[in-house]
Amino acid sequence: MTGRLVIVGLGPGAAELITPQASDALAAATDLVGYGPYLARVPERAGQARHASDNREELARAGHALDLAAAGKSVAVVSSGDPGVFAMASAVFEAIETGNPAWRDVEVSVVPGVSAMLAAAARVGAPLGHDFCVISLSDNLKPWDVVLRRLEAAAAADFIIVLYNPASKARPWQLGEALAHIAKHRAGATPVIFARAVSEPNESIDITTLAEADPARADMRTLIIVGSSATRVVARGGRSFVYTLRHAELVEP
Amino acid sequence: MTGRLVIVGLGPGAAELITPQASDALAAATDLVGYGPYLARVPERAGQARHASDNREELARAGHALDLAAAGKSVAVVSSGDPGVFAMASAVFEAIETGNPAWRDVEVSVVPGVSAMLAAAARVGAPLGHDFCVISLSDNLKPWDVVLRRLEAAAAADFIIVLYNPASKARPWQLGEALAHIAKHRAGATPVIFARAVSEPNESIDITTLAEADPARADMRTLIIVGSSATRVVARGGRSFVYTLRHAELVEP
């Protein structure tokens, strides 16, 4: 008997940002699979098995989840944010395409979630209010040259740029180089947002500029938004907000 | 007495994709403001005023909502998808910066939502599984040259490309030209997804290729995802899924 697998987006962290569709999918599962800290966000439920794994073993985790589903379980793979944005969904489909042929018979679905970039943007205003690019700075799975080429293209065409996975202990220098490349095309006063642990109790949000952005402030849990030429910081009372104009003009590269 | 204004993302359409944070914000409002069809998604509540407006008058709608809030009301501005992605949030902040100075005293917040692109991606698999760009094809507020330059940059750097506002009665030819520009850099077999009314009862999702994509199939409610060189369509049983590999290689432009 073949079971089911659903890849569930838990949103950025806060329980009130988990959709009812995600909550229902979690409640219906016999088995939960995921990175430990994400699994810890899901309330315990009697009779439900939990399989925690390391964050770096995405393909192995996907295979484990598919084995459980192929054996008849109803499996929920949990992902932070949205599962389709630098998270578990792609790994599950890759495993289905390249792995055990029995996995192809598993019924698979994806429950979207509020991604970290949308939650971070909401906290400061509307910085993603115009055309934007989303780039992971991790070079674990792609050559750094690809990252740089994409940064150059995005910066030259005046996209707002969202950077996922900006830094980790193993990748300490990438963010500085990335910001330097963007700065070749964009003014020093361009707003830059460092958003960490968005919507969680230890959330921190810093609004700075491209000239003053300190790459050392980023870690694995930080997401960075670099504004376009149409992104504005507006001071008012105690707190500033950041938004990008809905209209754009030609900016010479 | 100055009131409050919250800009609420209703998600793509289905009630089970509205977050508890959004539901709570809607329940707490004295006044709801928004485009008629989006307001119609919010359950009626005794004593709550509803202010429906035309879809094209975003800045006027924002001003109306800010007037209500400045007069002491607790206002929720509703937006489809996520309010920060080609939706109401940017217009509200623009109104605050450029409009009636009294509006600066209004307490403003944004509740993020599941954006249409995330919901569309989830329905077919994980097409946004790698670096991607999000571009509105509307030239109401930006020169078409800016759109073309961004499409060229995104296509040449092998980003997955999400197209919002691909077509309307007033803008019938833009999508065809956009796809032709992308096709200069990308194989005819590149997967293309047309997703309409995602998560609603009349949802339709078509998976096609860049060579075969028919621009006439898109309308105001359609969102389009054009794959990168690493996006794959996998047939199995009755339904195919689409995903983008987590690893990338250098692709010659």
Side-chain angles (χ1 to χ4, degrees):
Chain A
M1 192 195 78
T2 294
R4 284 178 301 180
L5 187 151
V6 55
I7 311 157
V8 179
L10 296 178
E16 63 263 32
L17 288 174
I18 301 179
T19 67
Q21 188 173 90
S23 294
D24 290 350
L26 296 170
T30 59
D31 293 71
L32 300 182
V33 174
Y35 176 47
Y38 302 156
L39 271 185
R41 286 202 218 146
V42 182
E44 297 268 357
R45 188 178 294 269
Q48 198 173 48
R50 300 165 83 91
H51 311 268
S53 62
D54 186 273
N55 195 26
R56 287 161 301 179
E57 298 171 359
E58 292 187 337
L59 209 54
R61 187 190 309 151
H64 180 211
L66 286 161
D67 275 339
L68 290 167
K73 301 290 189 183
S74 184
V75 181
V77 175
V78 301
S79 214
S80 186
D82 178 82
V85 176
F86 306 121
M88 276 303 293
S90 180
V92 169
F93 290 106
E94 182 182 339
I96 293 172
E97 189 185 13
T98 61
N100 184 340
W103 293 344
R104 292 220 174 194
D105 297 327
V106 172
E107 182 189 323
V108 177
S109 59
V110 180
V111 172
V114 174
S115 59
M117 64 180 169
L118 300 182
R123 294 293 285 141
V124 298
L128 303 182
H130 212 304
D131 303 330
F132 63 96
C133 289
V134 186
I135 303 175
S136 168
L137 290 192
S138 171
D139 55 357
N140 293 340
L141 293 164
K142 65 182 162 184
W144 183 243
D145 280 353
V146 171
V147 178
L148 290 184
R149 184 199 293 176
R150 290 182 180 165
L151 285 168
E152 292 271 355
D158 202 22
F159 282 98
I160 304 147
I161 300 173
V162 182
L163 301 176
Y164 272 76
N165 305 315
S168 71
K169 282 180 189 160
R171 295 185 294 101
W173 54 266
Q174 280 84 344
L175 177 58
E177 192 169 321
L179 293 175
H181 274 257
I182 295 170
K184 289 193 284 180
H185 300 275
R186 211 157 285 186
T190 301
V192 174
I193 298 147
F194 282 62
R196 188 176 185 284
V198 174
S199 86
E200 295 187 50
N202 58 341
E203 168 186 289
S204 76
I205 311 256
D206 292 314
I207 300 170
T208 179
T209 63
L210 193 51
E212 290 179 358
D214 176 7
R217 284 153 75 181
D219 67 8
M220 270 179 61
R221 303 203 56 210
T222 308
L223 183 127
I224 290 161
I225 301 175
V226 181
S228 73
S229 68
T231 303
R232 304 179 54 79
V233 178
V234 180
R236 52 166 212 153
R239 242 186 103 199
S240 298
F241 61 80
V242 185
Y243 80 104
T244 301
L245 287 165
R246 299 166 307 139
H247 35 94
E249 283 159 25
L250 278 173
V251 175
E252 286 314 309
Chain B
M1 190 195 83
T2 294
R4 284 175 301 179
L5 187 152
V6 56
I7 312 157
V8 179
L10 297 178
E16 63 262 33
L17 289 174
I18 300 178
T19 67
Q21 190 174 89
S23 295
D24 290 350
L26 296 170
T30 59
D31 293 71
L32 301 182
V33 174
Y35 175 47
Y38 302 156
L39 271 185
R41 286 202 218 147
V42 182
E44 298 268 357
R45 188 177 295 268
Q48 199 172 49
R50 300 163 83 92
H51 311 267
S53 63
D54 187 272
N55 195 28
R56 287 160 299 181
E57 297 170 358
E58 292 186 337
L59 209 55
R61 187 191 310 152
H64 180 211
L66 286 159
D67 275 338
L68 291 166
K73 301 289 189 181
S74 184
V75 181
V77 175
V78 300
S79 213
S80 185
D82 179 81
V85 176
F86 307 119
M88 277 302 295
S90 179
V92 169
F93 290 106
E94 182 182 339
I96 293 172
E97 187 184 15
T98 61
N100 184 341
W103 294 343
R104 292 220 176 196
D105 297 327
V106 173
E107 182 190 324
V108 177
S109 60
V110 181
V111 172
V114 174
S115 59
M117 66 181 168
L118 300 182
R123 294 292 286 140
V124 297
L128 304 182
H130 213 303
D131 303 331
F132 63 96
C133 288
V134 186
I135 303 174
S136 169
L137 290 193
S138 172
D139 55 357
N140 293 340
L141 294 165
K142 65 180 161 183
W144 183 243
D145 280 354
V146 172
V147 179
L148 290 185
R149 184 200 290 176
R150 289 181 180 166
L151 285 169
E152 292 272 354
D158 202 23
F159 281 99
I160 303 148
I161 300 173
V162 181
L163 301 176
Y164 272 76
N165 306 317
S168 72
K169 281 178 189 161
R171 296 186 293 98
W173 54 265
Q174 280 82 345
L175 177 58
E177 191 168 322
L179 293 175
H181 273 256
I182 296 171
K184 290 193 285 180
H185 300 275
R186 211 155 285 185
T190 300
V192 175
I193 299 148
F194 282 63
R196 189 177 184 281
V198 174
S199 86
E200 294 187 52
N202 58 341
E203 168 184 291
S204 76
I205 312 255
D206 291 313
I207 301 170
T208 180
T209 62
L210 193 51
E212 291 179 358
D214 175 7
R217 283 153 74 181
D219 66 9
M220 272 179 60
R221 305 204 54 211
T222 308
L223 182 128
I224 291 162
I225 302 175
V226 181
S228 73
S229 69
T231 303
R232 304 177 55 78
V233 178
V234 180
R236 54 167 210 149
R239 244 186 102 200
S240 299
F241 61 80
V242 185
Y243 79 105
T244 301
L245 287 165
R246 300 167 305 140
H247 35 92
E249 284 160 25
L250 279 173
V251 175
E252 285 317 309

